[in-house]
Amino acid sequence: MVYGGLVVFAVWCVLSFHKDLAQIHIESLHGGWAVVGAAGALSLLNYALRIVRWQQYMNQMGHRLPWRLSALSYMAGFAFTLSPGKVGEMVRARYYLPYKIPLQDVTAAFFAERLMDLIVILLLALAMLSAQPRYHMVMWLGLTLIGATIAALVAMPWARVQQWLGTHPAASRMHIRLMHGVAATLLNARRFLSPGLLLPALALGFIAWGAEAVGFKIVGDVIHPEGPMSWATAAGIYALATLVGALSFLPGGLGSTEAVMASLLYAQGFTVPDALLLTLICRVLTLWLAVVIGWLCVYLLRHER
């Protein structure tokens, strides 16, 4: 049903924007296909670095997984990345059942990973504001909110909150059980917020997502050589569009990410056809490539089983 809905949505998009899509000319990429290939390689680097971070999280919880299984299971989650909020990526937990890894440990690692990605995307989005002196106050406010969120997650006595919810008179009710599960997840995830783990995880995330932003810029410079974007602007456009797509809770941010990215590119001087072309290339290399690799990993894991 989900993928059927996506097909209907895609058809609606094509019918609604066929005039704009008809204006796209691949000739803008003449001589630049090698650059597109380099951008694809940067996306693969993004996945590789995030696999390394995932393995570090699992090791921290005492689960020594073979690198092959860790890589295949992590990438298999991307087969379901089109689920709202990417919660479908939690499917990788099923591959850890033979290793007796508790679901709450996988959930804690997943939460920490999503939190690190969110912080990195916010930092990249703030990079665009850093180039505009009038927005420096907004930039510092954003950095303050990020620091306050991390401090609150670390300082909150989640163990006592979990115990209180467990003894609550309405402990059998669904919303109390849900809150109890959230508290347990945050308690387990807090171990990843110590400076010794937080800073390396942020560094890996920054390099990983920054690599995709670099790919976005170099392809953009080929399509629109008249006015190349600055590194900060390219990173900000990519990150802001990704952030809006994530917050929209649409499958894979479909529609919302593309609309924001194309609009911001148009504001930077791109023509509508060039903005749409760069947006489509970016989404193919950063979303659909991951989905294809994810389904390949699902097949490999299923075949091994």
Side-chain angles (χ1 to χ4, degrees), residues 248-266:
S248 69
F249 271 81
L250 291 171
L254 290 176
S256 56
T257 299
E258 289 82 358
V260 171
M261 186 175 290
S263 298
L264 291 174
L265 288 171
Y266 180 76

Side-chain angles (χ1 to χ4, degrees), residues 15-239:
L15 293 177
S16 300
F17 303 109
H18 67 281
K19 291 183 179 179
D20 290 334
L21 294 174
Q23 299 178 49
I24 295 178
H25 300 293
I26 302 297
E27 291 78 9
S28 300
L29 284 173
H30 179 69
W33 288 106
V35 175
V36 175
L42 289 171
S43 291
L44 296 178
L45 175 62
N46 171 289
Y47 309 147
L49 292 175
R50 290 162 66 186
I51 289 171
V52 171
R53 184 178 59 184
W54 180 261
Q55 181 77 334
Q56 290 178 348
Y57 283 166
M58 301 308 290
N59 289 343
Q60 176 64 24
M61 291 186 293
H63 307 304
R64 303 289 176 175
L65 295 173
W67 273 99
R68 174 180 169 80
L69 173 63
S70 187
L72 288 177
S73 61
Y74 183 84
M75 292 303 300
F78 288 147
F80 304 94
T81 195
L82 294 178
S83 58
K86 297 188 176 183
V87 294
E89 293 182 16
M90 274 293 295
V91 72
R92 62 176 66 110
R94 69 188 294 266
Y95 300 113
Y96 303 146
L97 293 177
Y99 293 83
K100 309 299 183 183
I101 298 178
L103 179 60
Q104 63 182 13
D105 286 358
V106 181
T107 305
F110 178 78
F111 171 81
E113 184 196 27
R114 290 275 74 83
L115 178 62
M116 294 302 104
D117 286 345
L118 176 61
I119 292 174
V120 168
I121 292 297
L122 283 172
L123 291 175
L124 289 175
L126 292 175
M128 186 168 58
L129 300 181
S130 67
Q132 302 290 335
R134 58 180 175 174
Y135 294 127
H136 281 183
M137 182 63 69
V138 177
M139 180 187 69
W140 287 112
L141 177 60
L143 292 174
T144 301
L145 289 175
I146 291 173
T149 300
I150 295 176
L153 290 173
V154 172
M156 182 69 70
W158 297 112
R160 282 194 284 177
V161 172
Q162 184 184 14
Q163 182 181 8
W164 178 80
L165 289 172
T167 58
H168 193 277
S172 60
R173 295 182 181 177
M174 183 178 296
H175 68 283
I176 296 295
R177 294 201 306 270
L178 178 62
M179 293 169 60
H180 185 274
V182 170
T185 297
L186 294 175
L187 177 62
N188 288 332
R190 188 164 59 181
R191 73 184 75 182
F192 303 120
L193 301 180
S194 62
L197 288 175
L198 176 65
L199 297 180
L202 284 176
L204 280 174
F206 196 83
I207 297 172
W209 289 102
E212 288 195 341
V214 169
F216 176 72
K217 173 181 166 48
I218 61 177
V219 175
D221 290 348
V222 171
I223 294 176
H224 186 67
E226 300 85 2
M229 296 180 287
S230 66
W231 294 102
T233 299
I237 291 175
Y238 171 75

